[in-house]
Amino acid sequence: TSGDAMTLHQVLAARFSAIQAPDTLHERLSNTCEDLALVAGLDDLRSRWGALSNRSMASLEAGDDAGSERSDADAAEIADRLDIPGAPWRAQFTHARQLTWHGDPRAAQRQGRRAFATGQAAGEEEAGSIFNPQLYLILWNEGRLTEVAGALASMPLQLPLDRAFACHAYAYLP
């Protein structure tokens, strides 16, 4: 490498998505650990936010809920100080996910709707593709899949994730 910390950070950050698959989890955990150490020495909040976001995802995949939540909390604190439209949106939708895990579906639904609105306002194309599965999981956890059945019947189900949720819902409907 060039020995430049910013260059190595950029490579590790880009590599995270490029190799994202179940069999590379240990490598991504190692890479995100290295990346966090690199950005700790830089005066660049955006790079730290990105490294924390990647670490959160890898921790989540590893089943390290506490580690994922710590990374999300640190990233959310930075998001409030950054001038990146998508940063607050990510902080909000991860908070909605955490509320779901911690058994507060009503707050999770409110937070998810708030995140969706923030994402739309920021022009985040993924806002709907994040919100819809979050809402589905909240309703499923509450035993309210019958409310989803009508919407599923009218959806074109063109995306693989939409079809997966429809199959799941129909399997669990009475």
Side-chain angles (χ1 to χ4, degrees):
T1 68
S2 69
D4 178 57
M6 181 55 84
T7 300
L8 183 53
H9 156 69
Q10 290 171 340
V11 169
L12 290 170
R15 188 170 195 274
F16 183 87
S17 296
I19 66 167
Q20 194 167 8
D23 62 331
T24 64
L25 177 59
H26 293 292
E27 190 172 352
R28 287 180 289 119
L29 285 167
S30 176
N31 287 170
T32 56
C33 186
E34 181 180 359
D35 196 16
L36 284 171
L38 281 170
V39 298
L42 300 175
D43 186 27
D44 184 345
L45 288 178
R46 185 179 183 140
S47 294
R48 182 150 174 74
W49 174 77
L52 285 163
S53 297
N54 285 345
R55 182 62 183 194
S56 171
M57 290 302 299
S59 296
L60 183 63
E61 289 178 53
D64 179 6
D65 296 344
S68 178
E69 287 191 17
R70 273 192 310 276
S71 294
D72 281 338
D74 290 347
E77 186 272 322
I78 291 170
D80 290 339
R81 299 179 354 214
L82 288 176
D83 189 24
I84 302 172
W89 166 66
R90 185 188 185 288
Q92 290 174 356
F93 82 70
T94 57
H95 183 63
R97 179 187 69 210
Q98 291 166 3
L99 288 166
T100 302
W101 290 346
H102 293 290
D104 193 346
R106 293 199 194 305
Q109 198 166 353
R110 282 191 306 273
Q111 181 63 28
R113 289 186 192 287
R114 197 171 11 254
F116 179 58
T118 299
Q120 284 188 311
E124 290 290 338
E125 293 178 17
E126 294 179 309
S129 64
I130 297 287
F131 174 68
N132 291 332
Q134 277 188 326
L135 183 59
Y136 175 86
L137 292 172
I138 291 167
L139 294 172
W140 177 51
N141 282 322
E142 290 185 309
R144 298 169 50 198
L145 280 185
T146 53
E147 295 174 34
V148 177
L152 288 173
S154 65
M155 288 177 65
L157 303 178
Q158 294 173 338
L159 299 175
L161 187 60
D162 293 340
R163 289 191 298 273
F165 278 113
C167 290
H168 183 270
Y170 289 131
Y172 283 94
L173 282 171

